[in-house]
Amino acid sequence: MLRPHYLDSTAQVCYTVVNPGGGYLGADRYRIGIGVGSSASLLLTTQSATKIYRTPKGEAKSQLNIELAEDAVLEYLPDQLIAYRDASYRQETIVHMHESSSLVICEIITPGWSPDGQPFKYQRIRLRTEVHIGGCLAVLDNLLVQPDDQEVDSLLYLQGFSHVGMLLAVDSRIDAALVDDLRVQAYAVAAQQGEPVHVGVSMTAAAGLSVRTLGTSTESAAAVLTCIVNELRGRLRAQAPVELRKY
């Protein structure tokens, strides 16, 4: 972890996770535990993209365990996940949160470079997120991309796109009207990109929303997801747009 710093005039602390190995290899195991105390606010990001290389000795696996106390806030905004040729990766995120706490999690999945220039040379990417509120499972988000066994270019999968953006937000103040407003905002940002971007914004069974994007670049996915993050920050906490200041 890099030293804590503050991105705005609020008391929200920002921590940056550093991967000392530079990338994930076969059979690697990573586990991170995050606890946000009562009425505390944390923005967590990564120093750079998470890179998954060849995994001939078995899939690389990462587990993120999150505990949010009463009125706690967590925004997890990592850089993109890049899966290279012959990579297999499983990521499990398990969240236990209080009914009054607030959660935002983002991910962008990017196919890495391959010698023949073709995307989807990785073997499998699986991201599974569980959100428990008050001890009960409230949200289950599961994504599996397995190019060798799936027709990833079909309308049932990635529709010819290469990059997948994901956002999950859970907060008791998120209602249908807010989700409708955020959908309009997301569509507007997608239309401003210099490339086609498909966006879906849905309300979850619990008080929250799920966002998916399909596109051809990390930048277009990040633009849409950042728009949603900033709208939530402003409307729920009167907080300024996020500026991670990495460059």
Side-chain angles (χ1 to χ4, degrees):
M1 306 289 290
L2 297 182
R3 65 176 180 81
H5 55 286
Y6 297 84
L7 302 177
D8 54 31
S9 60
T10 71
Q12 183 181 55
V13 65
C14 177
Y15 276 99
T16 302
V17 179
V18 180
N19 177 11
Y24 291 9
L25 302 172
D28 277 356
R29 297 290 184 267
Y30 288 81
R31 182 179 294 114
I32 298 177
I34 301 169
V36 184
S38 178
S39 300
S41 183
L42 168 66
L43 191 156
L44 187 68
T45 187
T46 54
Q47 187 182 39
S48 60
T50 299
K51 299 176 181 179
I52 316 299
Y53 297 110
R54 290 183 176 183
T55 56
K57 296 183 179 180
E59 68 179 6
K61 183 176 180 180
S62 175
Q63 184 170 336
L64 183 63
N65 297 305
I66 299 172
E67 298 277 349
L68 302 183
E70 186 174 1
D71 295 321
V73 175
L74 172 64
E75 295 175 299
Y76 180 46
L77 311 178
D79 283 0
Q80 69 270 28
L81 175 73
I82 306 176
Y84 289 91
R85 185 174 62 175
D86 297 328
S88 183
Y89 177 68
R90 178 190 296 264
Q91 178 175 294
E92 297 179 353
T93 303
I94 302 174
V95 182
H96 291 273
M97 59 187 292
H98 190 273
E99 294 178 356
S100 63
S101 53
S102 182
L103 171 73
V104 176
I105 297 177
C106 291
E107 290 284 358
I108 298 175
I109 303 173
T110 303
W113 176 88
S114 62
D116 59 6
Q118 297 298 313
F120 304 120
K121 292 297 185 179
Y122 55 82
Q123 295 179 353
R124 181 174 66 179
I125 297 295
R126 183 165 191 171
L127 306 182
R128 177 185 172 93
T129 301
E130 297 180 10
V131 179
H132 301 258
I133 302 176
C136 299
L137 180 63
V139 180
L140 176 60
D141 191 353
N142 191 54
L143 175 71
L144 173 64
V145 182
Q146 194 164 292
D148 288 344
D149 297 330
Q150 299 170 341
E151 297 180 5
V152 293
D153 290 333
S154 72
L155 292 177
L156 295 177
Y157 287 95
L158 303 186
Q159 305 176 31
F161 293 99
S162 56
H163 292 59
V164 180
M166 306 167 59
L167 181 148
L168 179 64
V170 180
D171 190 296
S172 61
R173 294 165 291 181
I174 297 176
D175 56 18
L178 177 55
V179 173
D180 288 342
D181 287 346
L182 294 178
R183 184 180 297 112
V184 172
Q185 294 279 349
Y187 288 172
V189 172
Q192 294 169 3
Q193 305 306 304
E195 60 189 79
V197 184
H198 286 193
V199 181
V201 181
S202 304
M203 190 168 184
T204 62
L209 64 91
S210 176
V211 181
R212 287 282 197 276
T213 70
L214 291 175
T216 56
S217 73
T218 298
E219 291 76 16
S220 62
V224 174
L225 300 185
T226 301
C227 163
I228 299 293
V229 170
N230 287 335
E231 285 292 321
L232 290 172
R233 287 165 64 90
R235 298 193 186 206
L236 300 181
R237 299 191 299 279
Q239 196 169 359
V242 66
E243 177 53 65
L244 294 176
R245 303 177 187 172
K246 295 185 181 181
Y247 310 108

